[in-house]
mmCIF file of all heavy atoms in Angstrom:
data_model
loop_
_atom_site.group_PDB
_atom_site.id
_atom_site.type_symbol
_atom_site.label_atom_id
_atom_site.label_comp_id
_atom_site.label_asym_id
_atom_site.label_seq_id
_atom_site.Cartn_x
_atom_site.Cartn_y
_atom_site.Cartn_z
ATOM 1 N N SER H 19 0.848 -1.183 0.000
ATOM 2 C CA SER H 19 0.000 -0.008 -0.008
ATOM 3 C C SER H 19 0.889 1.241 0.002
ATOM 4 O O SER H 19 1.905 1.271 0.703
ATOM 5 C CB SER H 19 -0.894 -0.018 1.238
ATOM 6 O OG SER H 19 -1.364 1.283 1.539
ATOM 7 N N ASP H 20 0.485 2.239 -0.779
ATOM 8 C CA ASP H 20 1.218 3.494 -0.844
ATOM 9 C C ASP H 20 0.236 4.636 -0.648
ATOM 10 O O ASP H 20 -0.876 4.609 -1.146
ATOM 11 C CB ASP H 20 1.956 3.686 -2.181
ATOM 12 C CG ASP H 20 3.308 3.024 -2.186
ATOM 13 O OD1 ASP H 20 4.000 3.088 -1.168
ATOM 14 O OD2 ASP H 20 3.645 2.387 -3.220
ATOM 15 N N ILE H 21 0.690 5.666 0.083
ATOM 16 C CA ILE H 21 -0.059 6.922 0.195
ATOM 17 C C ILE H 21 0.561 7.904 -0.758
ATOM 18 O O ILE H 21 1.785 8.141 -0.735
ATOM 19 C CB ILE H 21 -0.017 7.464 1.632
ATOM 20 C CG1 ILE H 21 -0.492 6.408 2.640
ATOM 21 C CG2 ILE H 21 -0.863 8.738 1.741
ATOM 22 C CD1 ILE H 21 -1.912 6.028 2.499
ATOM 23 N N GLU H 22 -0.269 8.498 -1.620
ATOM 24 C CA GLU H 22 0.246 9.455 -2.602
ATOM 25 C C GLU H 22 -0.572 10.741 -2.561
ATOM 26 O O GLU H 22 -1.753 10.717 -2.176
ATOM 27 C CB GLU H 22 0.200 8.845 -4.012
ATOM 28 C CG GLU H 22 1.018 7.585 -4.157
ATOM 29 C CD GLU H 22 1.009 7.051 -5.593
ATOM 30 O OE1 GLU H 22 0.568 7.804 -6.492
ATOM 31 O OE2 GLU H 22 1.449 5.903 -5.799
ATOM 32 N N ARG H 23 0.057 11.816 -2.961
ATOM 33 C CA ARG H 23 -0.641 13.084 -3.059
ATOM 34 C C ARG H 23 -1.279 13.180 -4.437
ATOM 35 O O ARG H 23 -0.608 13.008 -5.436
ATOM 36 C CB ARG H 23 0.318 14.261 -2.804
ATOM 37 C CG ARG H 23 -0.395 15.604 -2.754
ATOM 38 C CD ARG H 23 0.478 16.655 -2.078
ATOM 39 N NE ARG H 23 0.717 16.344 -0.685
ATOM 40 C CZ ARG H 23 -0.168 16.555 0.288
ATOM 41 N NH1 ARG H 23 -1.371 17.048 0.003
ATOM 42 N NH2 ARG H 23 0.133 16.258 1.521
ATOM 43 N N ALA H 24 -2.575 13.439 -4.464
ATOM 44 C CA ALA H 24 -3.312 13.477 -5.728
ATOM 45 C C ALA H 24 -4.059 14.814 -5.818
ATOM 46 O O ALA H 24 -4.949 15.078 -5.004
ATOM 47 C CB ALA H 24 -4.282 12.300 -5.824
ATOM 48 N N HIS H 25 -3.705 15.600 -6.773
ATOM 49 C CA HIS H 25 -4.376 16.884 -6.978
ATOM 50 C C HIS H 25 -5.778 16.640 -7.544
ATOM 51 O O HIS H 25 -5.991 15.764 -8.387
ATOM 52 C CB HIS H 25 -3.559 17.766 -7.917
ATOM 53 C CG HIS H 25 -2.176 18.058 -7.418
ATOM 54 N ND1 HIS H 25 -1.954 18.900 -6.360
ATOM 55 C CD2 HIS H 25 -0.973 17.619 -7.827
ATOM 56 C CE1 HIS H 25 -0.638 18.966 -6.127
ATOM 57 N NE2 HIS H 25 -0.026 18.188 -7.002
ATOM 58 N N GLY H 26 -6.729 17.420 -7.059
ATOM 59 C CA GLY H 26 -8.093 17.281 -7.539
ATOM 60 C C GLY H 26 -8.963 16.411 -6.641
ATOM 61 O O GLY H 26 -10.165 16.365 -6.813
ATOM 62 N N TRP H 27 -8.333 15.683 -5.672
ATOM 63 C CA TRP H 27 -9.113 14.895 -4.728
ATOM 64 C C TRP H 27 -9.456 15.753 -3.530
ATOM 65 O O TRP H 27 -8.681 16.638 -3.121
ATOM 66 C CB TRP H 27 -8.297 13.661 -4.288
ATOM 67 C CG TRP H 27 -8.130 12.657 -5.368
ATOM 68 C CD1 TRP H 27 -7.257 12.744 -6.409
ATOM 69 C CD2 TRP H 27 -8.814 11.438 -5.527
ATOM 70 N NE1 TRP H 27 -7.389 11.623 -7.221
ATOM 71 C CE2 TRP H 27 -8.343 10.818 -6.692
ATOM 72 C CE3 TRP H 27 -9.825 10.802 -4.808
ATOM 73 C CZ2 TRP H 27 -8.819 9.610 -7.139
ATOM 74 C CZ3 TRP H 27 -10.298 9.584 -5.250
ATOM 75 C CH2 TRP H 27 -9.790 8.996 -6.406
ATOM 76 N N GLY H 28 -10.594 15.460 -2.935
ATOM 77 C CA GLY H 28 -11.101 16.303 -1.873
ATOM 78 C C GLY H 28 -10.160 16.411 -0.672
ATOM 79 O O GLY H 28 -10.084 17.462 -0.042
ATOM 80 N N HIS H 29 -9.422 15.342 -0.347
ATOM 81 C CA HIS H 29 -8.608 15.349 0.852
ATOM 82 C C HIS H 29 -7.120 15.368 0.541
ATOM 83 O O HIS H 29 -6.309 15.284 1.472
ATOM 84 C CB HIS H 29 -8.959 14.124 1.711
ATOM 85 C CG HIS H 29 -10.407 14.040 2.054
ATOM 86 N ND1 HIS H 29 -11.013 14.925 2.911
ATOM 87 C CD2 HIS H 29 -11.377 13.214 1.612
ATOM 88 C CE1 HIS H 29 -12.315 14.605 3.012
ATOM 89 N NE2 HIS H 29 -12.550 13.579 2.232
ATOM 90 N N GLY H 30 -6.752 15.445 -0.717
ATOM 91 C CA GLY H 30 -5.351 15.665 -1.071
ATOM 92 C C GLY H 30 -4.505 14.407 -1.136
ATOM 93 O O GLY H 30 -3.607 14.308 -1.970
ATOM 94 N N LEU H 31 -4.774 13.431 -0.254
ATOM 95 C CA LEU H 31 -4.010 12.190 -0.237
ATOM 96 C C LEU H 31 -4.907 10.999 -0.568
ATOM 97 O O LEU H 31 -6.065 10.970 -0.177
ATOM 98 C CB LEU H 31 -3.360 11.957 1.132
ATOM 99 C CG LEU H 31 -2.344 12.982 1.623
ATOM 100 C CD1 LEU H 31 -1.874 12.618 3.040
ATOM 101 C CD2 LEU H 31 -1.159 13.056 0.684
ATOM 102 N N VAL H 32 -4.356 10.054 -1.293
ATOM 103 C CA VAL H 32 -5.097 8.810 -1.587
ATOM 104 C C VAL H 32 -4.232 7.625 -1.220
ATOM 105 O O VAL H 32 -2.988 7.697 -1.254
ATOM 106 C CB VAL H 32 -5.527 8.733 -3.079
ATOM 107 C CG1 VAL H 32 -6.532 9.826 -3.421
ATOM 108 C CG2 VAL H 32 -4.315 8.781 -4.007
ATOM 109 N N GLN H 33 -4.863 6.527 -0.876
ATOM 110 C CA GLN H 33 -4.186 5.286 -0.572
ATOM 111 C C GLN H 33 -4.409 4.301 -1.694
ATOM 112 O O GLN H 33 -5.557 3.963 -2.015
ATOM 113 C CB GLN H 33 -4.667 4.739 0.770
ATOM 114 C CG GLN H 33 -3.905 3.481 1.218
ATOM 115 C CD GLN H 33 -4.285 3.093 2.632
ATOM 116 O OE1 GLN H 33 -5.323 3.504 3.152
ATOM 117 N NE2 GLN H 33 -3.439 2.305 3.267
ATOM 118 N N GLU H 34 -3.320 3.854 -2.295
ATOM 119 C CA GLU H 34 -3.414 2.921 -3.440
ATOM 120 C C GLU H 34 -2.965 1.553 -2.993
ATOM 121 O O GLU H 34 -1.841 1.374 -2.475
ATOM 122 C CB GLU H 34 -2.542 3.440 -4.573
ATOM 123 C CG GLU H 34 -2.710 2.637 -5.860
ATOM 124 C CD GLU H 34 -1.944 3.270 -7.007
ATOM 125 O OE1 GLU H 34 -0.706 3.156 -7.023
ATOM 126 O OE2 GLU H 34 -2.586 3.887 -7.898
ATOM 127 N N LEU H 35 -3.824 0.563 -3.190
ATOM 128 C CA LEU H 35 -3.533 -0.828 -2.843
ATOM 129 C C LEU H 35 -3.125 -1.583 -4.108
ATOM 130 O O LEU H 35 -3.869 -1.550 -5.103
ATOM 131 C CB LEU H 35 -4.745 -1.496 -2.192
ATOM 132 C CG LEU H 35 -5.331 -0.801 -0.989
ATOM 133 C CD1 LEU H 35 -6.508 -1.621 -0.432
ATOM 134 C CD2 LEU H 35 -4.307 -0.507 0.072
ATOM 135 N N GLU H 36 -2.010 -2.221 -4.058
ATOM 136 C CA GLU H 36 -1.479 -2.947 -5.242
ATOM 137 C C GLU H 36 -1.601 -4.449 -4.992
ATOM 138 O O GLU H 36 -1.070 -4.974 -4.004
ATOM 139 C CB GLU H 36 -0.025 -2.551 -5.474
ATOM 140 C CG GLU H 36 0.626 -3.248 -6.658
ATOM 141 C CD GLU H 36 2.092 -2.876 -6.786
ATOM 142 O OE1 GLU H 36 2.414 -1.690 -6.663
ATOM 143 O OE2 GLU H 36 2.908 -3.812 -6.996
ATOM 144 N N PHE H 37 -2.308 -5.154 -5.928
ATOM 145 C CA PHE H 37 -2.558 -6.582 -5.748
ATOM 146 C C PHE H 37 -1.867 -7.363 -6.868
ATOM 147 O O PHE H 37 -1.788 -6.909 -8.026
ATOM 148 C CB PHE H 37 -4.047 -6.884 -5.817
ATOM 149 C CG PHE H 37 -4.854 -6.328 -4.667
ATOM 150 C CD1 PHE H 37 -5.367 -5.032 -4.745
ATOM 151 C CD2 PHE H 37 -5.099 -7.068 -3.542
ATOM 152 C CE1 PHE H 37 -6.092 -4.489 -3.722
ATOM 153 C CE2 PHE H 37 -5.839 -6.549 -2.501
ATOM 154 C CZ PHE H 37 -6.353 -5.260 -2.592
ATOM 155 N N HIS H 38 -1.410 -8.568 -6.531
ATOM 156 C CA HIS H 38 -0.939 -9.516 -7.531
ATOM 157 C C HIS H 38 -2.106 -10.454 -7.859
ATOM 158 O O HIS H 38 -2.629 -11.141 -6.981
ATOM 159 C CB HIS H 38 0.243 -10.320 -6.976
ATOM 160 C CG HIS H 38 0.746 -11.362 -7.891
ATOM 161 N ND1 HIS H 38 1.474 -11.063 -9.032
ATOM 162 C CD2 HIS H 38 0.597 -12.719 -7.879
ATOM 163 C CE1 HIS H 38 1.787 -12.170 -9.665
ATOM 164 N NE2 HIS H 38 1.265 -13.201 -8.976
ATOM 165 N N PRO H 39 -2.531 -10.492 -9.135
ATOM 166 C CA PRO H 39 -3.716 -11.300 -9.488
ATOM 167 C C PRO H 39 -3.330 -12.756 -9.796
ATOM 168 O O PRO H 39 -2.185 -13.040 -10.137
ATOM 169 C CB PRO H 39 -4.221 -10.590 -10.760
ATOM 170 C CG PRO H 39 -2.978 -10.051 -11.382
ATOM 171 C CD PRO H 39 -2.048 -9.681 -10.246
ATOM 172 N N PRO H 40 -4.298 -13.658 -9.715
ATOM 173 C CA PRO H 40 -4.063 -15.036 -10.121
ATOM 174 C C PRO H 40 -4.059 -15.146 -11.664
ATOM 175 O O PRO H 40 -4.481 -14.238 -12.347
ATOM 176 C CB PRO H 40 -5.258 -15.776 -9.515
ATOM 177 C CG PRO H 40 -6.335 -14.772 -9.522
ATOM 178 C CD PRO H 40 -5.687 -13.445 -9.238
ATOM 179 N N HIS H 41 -3.572 -16.252 -12.164
ATOM 180 C CA HIS H 41 -3.604 -16.503 -13.590
ATOM 181 C C HIS H 41 -5.069 -16.620 -14.053
ATOM 182 O O HIS H 41 -5.919 -17.085 -13.340
ATOM 183 C CB HIS H 41 -2.866 -17.802 -13.932
ATOM 184 C CG HIS H 41 -1.393 -17.716 -13.651
ATOM 185 N ND1 HIS H 41 -0.531 -16.886 -14.333
ATOM 186 C CD2 HIS H 41 -0.635 -18.385 -12.735
ATOM 187 C CE1 HIS H 41 0.690 -17.051 -13.860
ATOM 188 N NE2 HIS H 41 0.650 -17.938 -12.906
ATOM 189 N N GLY H 42 -5.310 -16.158 -15.248
ATOM 190 C CA GLY H 42 -6.641 -16.280 -15.834
ATOM 191 C C GLY H 42 -7.433 -15.003 -15.841
ATOM 192 O O GLY H 42 -8.484 -14.940 -16.486
ATOM 193 N N LEU H 43 -6.950 -13.938 -15.190
ATOM 194 C CA LEU H 43 -7.659 -12.664 -15.198
ATOM 195 C C LEU H 43 -7.215 -11.751 -16.317
ATOM 196 O O LEU H 43 -7.805 -10.716 -16.528
ATOM 197 C CB LEU H 43 -7.529 -11.954 -13.837
ATOM 198 C CG LEU H 43 -8.348 -12.504 -12.685
ATOM 199 C CD1 LEU H 43 -8.110 -11.657 -11.422
ATOM 200 C CD2 LEU H 43 -9.830 -12.489 -13.023
ATOM 201 N N GLY H 44 -6.173 -12.130 -17.002
ATOM 202 C CA GLY H 44 -5.707 -11.354 -18.147
ATOM 203 C C GLY H 44 -5.064 -10.033 -17.765
ATOM 204 O O GLY H 44 -5.121 -9.062 -18.544
ATOM 205 N N THR H 45 -4.475 -9.973 -16.597
ATOM 206 C CA THR H 45 -3.810 -8.749 -16.147
ATOM 207 C C THR H 45 -2.585 -9.096 -15.325
ATOM 208 O O THR H 45 -2.518 -10.166 -14.681
ATOM 209 C CB THR H 45 -4.757 -7.869 -15.332
ATOM 210 O OG1 THR H 45 -4.069 -6.727 -14.865
ATOM 211 C CG2 THR H 45 -5.288 -8.636 -14.117
ATOM 212 N N SER H 46 -1.611 -8.205 -15.322
ATOM 213 C CA SER H 46 -0.403 -8.439 -14.554
ATOM 214 C C SER H 46 -0.443 -7.763 -13.184
ATOM 215 O O SER H 46 0.352 -8.098 -12.297
ATOM 216 C CB SER H 46 0.820 -7.936 -15.326
ATOM 217 O OG SER H 46 0.689 -6.557 -15.598
ATOM 218 N N GLU H 47 -1.372 -6.819 -13.015
ATOM 219 C CA GLU H 47 -1.447 -6.091 -11.749
ATOM 220 C C GLU H 47 -2.813 -5.443 -11.607
ATOM 221 O O GLU H 47 -3.390 -4.972 -12.590
ATOM 222 C CB GLU H 47 -0.327 -5.044 -11.703
ATOM 223 C CG GLU H 47 -0.197 -4.297 -10.400
ATOM 224 C CD GLU H 47 0.964 -3.327 -10.439
ATOM 225 O OE1 GLU H 47 2.098 -3.728 -10.130
ATOM 226 O OE2 GLU H 47 0.753 -2.161 -10.795
ATOM 227 N N VAL H 48 -3.326 -5.402 -10.399
ATOM 228 C CA VAL H 48 -4.590 -4.743 -10.098
ATOM 229 C C VAL H 48 -4.340 -3.741 -8.967
ATOM 230 O O VAL H 48 -3.739 -4.106 -7.943
ATOM 231 C CB VAL H 48 -5.673 -5.741 -9.696
ATOM 232 C CG1 VAL H 48 -6.947 -5.029 -9.247
ATOM 233 C CG2 VAL H 48 -5.996 -6.691 -10.835
ATOM 234 N N GLU H 49 -4.792 -2.516 -9.181
ATOM 235 C CA GLU H 49 -4.629 -1.481 -8.148
ATOM 236 C C GLU H 49 -6.019 -0.927 -7.767
ATOM 237 O O GLU H 49 -6.882 -0.802 -8.661
ATOM 238 C CB GLU H 49 -3.728 -0.350 -8.610
ATOM 239 C CG GLU H 49 -2.290 -0.815 -8.851
ATOM 240 C CD GLU H 49 -1.403 0.296 -9.385
ATOM 241 O OE1 GLU H 49 -1.957 1.362 -9.773
ATOM 242 O OE2 GLU H 49 -0.194 0.123 -9.413
ATOM 243 N N MET H 50 -6.200 -0.619 -6.508
ATOM 244 C CA MET H 50 -7.481 -0.055 -6.033
ATOM 245 C C MET H 50 -7.243 1.160 -5.169
ATOM 246 O O MET H 50 -6.338 1.164 -4.343
ATOM 247 C CB MET H 50 -8.263 -1.104 -5.216
ATOM 248 C CG MET H 50 -8.671 -2.345 -5.950
ATOM 249 S SD MET H 50 -9.710 -3.367 -4.848
ATOM 250 C CE MET H 50 -9.618 -4.954 -5.735
ATOM 251 N N ILE H 51 -8.052 2.156 -5.373
ATOM 252 C CA ILE H 51 -8.167 3.273 -4.453
ATOM 253 C C ILE H 51 -9.568 3.167 -3.832
ATOM 254 O O ILE H 51 -10.561 3.127 -4.562
ATOM 255 C CB ILE H 51 -7.981 4.628 -5.152
ATOM 256 C CG1 ILE H 51 -6.565 4.756 -5.700
ATOM 257 C CG2 ILE H 51 -8.305 5.789 -4.204
ATOM 258 C CD1 ILE H 51 -6.323 5.987 -6.538
ATOM 259 N N LEU H 52 -9.642 3.132 -2.511
ATOM 260 C CA LEU H 52 -10.899 2.901 -1.817
ATOM 261 C C LEU H 52 -11.452 4.210 -1.279
ATOM 262 O O LEU H 52 -10.722 4.999 -0.683
ATOM 263 C CB LEU H 52 -10.713 1.914 -0.681
ATOM 264 C CG LEU H 52 -10.012 0.601 -1.030
ATOM 265 C CD1 LEU H 52 -9.998 -0.331 0.196
ATOM 266 C CD2 LEU H 52 -10.697 -0.105 -2.218
ATOM 267 N N LEU H 53 -12.745 4.426 -1.472
ATOM 268 C CA LEU H 53 -13.444 5.604 -0.965
ATOM 269 C C LEU H 53 -14.596 5.103 -0.105
ATOM 270 O O LEU H 53 -15.751 5.003 -0.541
ATOM 271 C CB LEU H 53 -13.949 6.475 -2.109
ATOM 272 C CG LEU H 53 -12.917 6.888 -3.178
ATOM 273 C CD1 LEU H 53 -13.593 7.625 -4.316
ATOM 274 C CD2 LEU H 53 -11.841 7.742 -2.546
ATOM 275 N N PRO H 54 -14.323 4.764 1.172
ATOM 276 C CA PRO H 54 -15.346 4.139 2.013
ATOM 277 C C PRO H 54 -16.400 5.113 2.496
ATOM 278 O O PRO H 54 -16.158 6.318 2.633
ATOM 279 C CB PRO H 54 -14.526 3.585 3.198
ATOM 280 C CG PRO H 54 -13.101 3.696 2.819
ATOM 281 C CD PRO H 54 -13.013 4.830 1.842
ATOM 282 N N GLN H 55 -17.568 4.554 2.768
ATOM 283 C CA GLN H 55 -18.647 5.248 3.464
ATOM 284 C C GLN H 55 -19.113 4.322 4.584
ATOM 285 O O GLN H 55 -18.549 3.256 4.809
ATOM 286 C CB GLN H 55 -19.769 5.591 2.494
ATOM 287 C CG GLN H 55 -19.374 6.490 1.338
ATOM 288 C CD GLN H 55 -20.484 6.727 0.349
ATOM 289 O OE1 GLN H 55 -21.641 6.873 0.748
ATOM 290 N NE2 GLN H 55 -20.162 6.762 -0.927
ATOM 291 N N ALA H 56 -20.174 4.727 5.265
ATOM 292 C CA ALA H 56 -20.624 3.938 6.419
ATOM 293 C C ALA H 56 -21.078 2.559 6.044
ATOM 294 O O ALA H 56 -20.826 1.581 6.771
ATOM 295 C CB ALA H 56 -21.730 4.695 7.152
ATOM 296 N N ASP H 57 -21.807 2.410 4.904
ATOM 297 C CA ASP H 57 -22.383 1.099 4.536
ATOM 298 C C ASP H 57 -21.989 0.619 3.159
ATOM 299 O O ASP H 57 -22.526 -0.369 2.672
ATOM 300 C CB ASP H 57 -23.918 1.173 4.658
ATOM 301 C CG ASP H 57 -24.514 2.183 3.669
ATOM 302 O OD1 ASP H 57 -23.733 3.006 3.092
ATOM 303 O OD2 ASP H 57 -25.752 2.186 3.482
ATOM 304 N N ARG H 58 -21.057 1.264 2.501
ATOM 305 C CA ARG H 58 -20.650 0.906 1.153
ATOM 306 C C ARG H 58 -19.237 1.442 0.920
ATOM 307 O O ARG H 58 -18.701 2.174 1.721
ATOM 308 C CB ARG H 58 -21.607 1.483 0.118
ATOM 309 C CG ARG H 58 -21.606 3.021 0.044
ATOM 310 C CD ARG H 58 -22.863 3.547 -0.631
ATOM 311 N NE ARG H 58 -24.040 3.260 0.180
ATOM 312 C CZ ARG H 58 -25.273 3.175 -0.286
ATOM 313 N NH1 ARG H 58 -25.499 3.353 -1.594
ATOM 314 N NH2 ARG H 58 -26.297 2.916 0.511
ATOM 315 N N VAL H 59 -18.683 1.066 -0.206
ATOM 316 C CA VAL H 59 -17.342 1.579 -0.562
ATOM 317 C C VAL H 59 -17.252 1.725 -2.063
ATOM 318 O O VAL H 59 -17.635 0.823 -2.821
ATOM 319 C CB VAL H 59 -16.225 0.645 -0.009
ATOM 320 C CG1 VAL H 59 -16.391 -0.782 -0.482
ATOM 321 C CG2 VAL H 59 -14.868 1.198 -0.407
ATOM 322 N N GLU H 60 -16.805 2.868 -2.503
ATOM 323 C CA GLU H 60 -16.537 3.092 -3.928
ATOM 324 C C GLU H 60 -15.086 2.741 -4.222
ATOM 325 O O GLU H 60 -14.202 3.052 -3.423
ATOM 326 C CB GLU H 60 -16.820 4.540 -4.314
ATOM 327 C CG GLU H 60 -16.737 4.780 -5.813
ATOM 328 C CD GLU H 60 -17.166 6.166 -6.221
ATOM 329 O OE1 GLU H 60 -17.469 6.991 -5.312
ATOM 330 O OE2 GLU H 60 -17.244 6.423 -7.414
ATOM 331 N N VAL H 61 -14.863 2.117 -5.362
ATOM 332 C CA VAL H 61 -13.549 1.650 -5.715
ATOM 333 C C VAL H 61 -13.120 2.250 -7.040
ATOM 334 O O VAL H 61 -13.881 2.203 -8.015
ATOM 335 C CB VAL H 61 -13.530 0.092 -5.819
ATOM 336 C CG1 VAL H 61 -12.113 -0.393 -6.171
ATOM 337 C CG2 VAL H 61 -14.031 -0.544 -4.549
ATOM 338 N N ILE H 62 -11.943 2.845 -7.045
ATOM 339 C CA ILE H 62 -11.300 3.225 -8.309
ATOM 340 C C ILE H 62 -10.401 2.047 -8.687
ATOM 341 O O ILE H 62 -9.405 1.764 -8.001
ATOM 342 C CB ILE H 62 -10.443 4.501 -8.166
ATOM 343 C CG1 ILE H 62 -11.267 5.624 -7.516
ATOM 344 C CG2 ILE H 62 -9.924 4.940 -9.537
ATOM 345 C CD1 ILE H 62 -12.493 6.014 -8.288
ATOM 346 N N LEU H 63 -10.785 1.343 -9.727
ATOM 347 C CA LEU H 63 -10.108 0.116 -10.135
ATOM 348 C C LEU H 63 -9.208 0.369 -11.316
ATOM 349 O O LEU H 63 -9.674 0.868 -12.348
ATOM 350 C CB LEU H 63 -11.158 -0.948 -10.464
ATOM 351 C CG LEU H 63 -10.682 -2.351 -10.825
ATOM 352 C CD1 LEU H 63 -10.004 -3.011 -9.609
ATOM 353 C CD2 LEU H 63 -11.859 -3.205 -11.297
ATOM 354 N N GLU H 64 -7.933 0.033 -11.176
ATOM 355 C CA GLU H 64 -6.975 0.209 -12.271
ATOM 356 C C GLU H 64 -6.371 -1.156 -12.628
ATOM 357 O O GLU H 64 -5.867 -1.860 -11.738
ATOM 358 C CB GLU H 64 -5.869 1.200 -11.902
ATOM 359 C CG GLU H 64 -4.934 1.508 -13.067
ATOM 360 C CD GLU H 64 -3.992 2.640 -12.755
ATOM 361 O OE1 GLU H 64 -4.448 3.808 -12.725
ATOM 362 O OE2 GLU H 64 -2.806 2.379 -12.564
ATOM 363 N N VAL H 65 -6.433 -1.492 -13.886
ATOM 364 C CA VAL H 65 -5.940 -2.792 -14.374
ATOM 365 C C VAL H 65 -4.737 -2.557 -15.269
ATOM 366 O O VAL H 65 -4.801 -1.762 -16.211
ATOM 367 C CB VAL H 65 -7.042 -3.549 -15.134
ATOM 368 C CG1 VAL H 65 -6.522 -4.845 -15.715
ATOM 369 C CG2 VAL H 65 -8.234 -3.815 -14.207
#
């Protein structure tokens, strides 16, 4: 996990989670930025 400064985001910093995927998903890396709320979570998904 890395914390990065991102211009244009409401709070200035974002946390990026980097995942190693299993074979068969057709990707070498999956990254997520999570925007949680009380009962749900929005995900910025990068493949």
Side-chain angles (χ1 to χ4, degrees):
S19 159
D20 276 319
I21 306 295
E22 300 183 13
R23 186 162 295 282
H25 300 289
W27 290 77
H29 305 290
L31 296 177
V32 295
Q33 184 170 19
E34 187 174 74
L35 307 182
E36 179 184 315
F37 294 88
H38 178 73
H41 294 295
L43 283 181
T45 177
S46 59
E47 186 177 273
V48 174
E49 295 178 348
M50 298 185 196
I51 295 174
L52 309 184
L53 307 175
Q55 300 176 38
D57 62 347
R58 66 198 67 204
V59 55
E60 187 173 5
V61 181
I62 309 299
L63 183 66
E64 185 171 287
V65 176

